[in-house]
Amino acid sequence: MPTAAKLFAGFAFAVLAFFTAEIFKPHMPEGTQFGYFSFVASLIGLVAGWRVMGPEAGRGNWAAVNSGIKTSAVMIGLALVIFSTYDMFLRAFRPEYKGPMEAIVAIFEIGVDYLRAMLAWDVIAVLAGGGALAGLLSEWAARRWK
């Protein structure tokens, strides 16, 4: 059931994911082609905000801050799985793997490489601070339009 809190949470985390993706880009190797990276990240943020933060809004400010940070963590997990799987498929079409099991293991290796690049102070600060603010925005919307 759509609510104002879910709408605001989805929008806030979509914006947060877009800006986090833009901040993350300089931490990748030079020459990396990003394509629709930021827009796919914002779609992931929209889904995470709608499904994770939206239903948890309306429980108080501290719970909203905690839920916002938790939603940022879920957003990171979804992004790592989606982007590392996509990268694995790109590498699989250039015969880089000997079999399907090696390709599946490569998803986790690629994800760890992405996570290592993501462990920069500016990316973490934006995710934590933005997640807390997005959680508070969702809490405000839940209280305002109850």
Side-chain angles (χ1 to χ4, degrees):
M1 181 64 129
T3 62
K6 288 181 180 181
L7 178 69
F8 274 77
F11 177 73
F13 280 98
V15 170
L16 175 64
F18 182 85
F19 285 121
T20 304
E22 290 296 317
I23 290 171
F24 174 71
K25 285 180 181 180
H27 298 287
M28 291 298 289
E30 191 172 324
T32 302
Q33 299 295 318
F34 289 103
Y36 295 110
F37 177 72
S38 297
F39 297 109
V40 174
S42 64
L43 182 63
I44 292 168
L46 176 79
V47 170
W50 185 278
R51 301 284 298 177
V52 178
M53 182 64 219
E56 293 187 10
R59 297 181 182 165
N61 288 337
W62 285 110
V65 169
N66 289 331
S67 296
I69 293 172
K70 179 179 85 171
T71 305
S72 291
V74 168
M75 192 170 61
I76 290 170
L78 281 172
L80 285 174
V81 168
I82 290 170
F83 289 122
S84 60
T85 303
Y86 176 73
D87 196 11
M88 181 275 300
F89 276 117
L90 288 179
R91 293 179 186 188
F93 286 118
R94 294 174 279 147
E96 197 170 303
Y97 306 118
K98 293 178 183 166
M101 202 62 203
E102 188 177 336
I104 291 172
V105 169
I107 292 174
F108 298 103
E109 293 171 357
I110 295 167
V112 167
D113 290 340
Y114 285 160
L115 185 62
R116 231 181 261 134
M118 196 180 295
L119 290 178
W121 69 271
D122 53 350
V123 176
I124 293 173
V126 167
L127 282 169
L133 287 175
L136 288 172
L137 178 69
S138 303
E139 178 69 23
W140 173 80
R143 287 183 184 180
R144 174 80 170 89
W145 291 286
K146 199 166 196 178

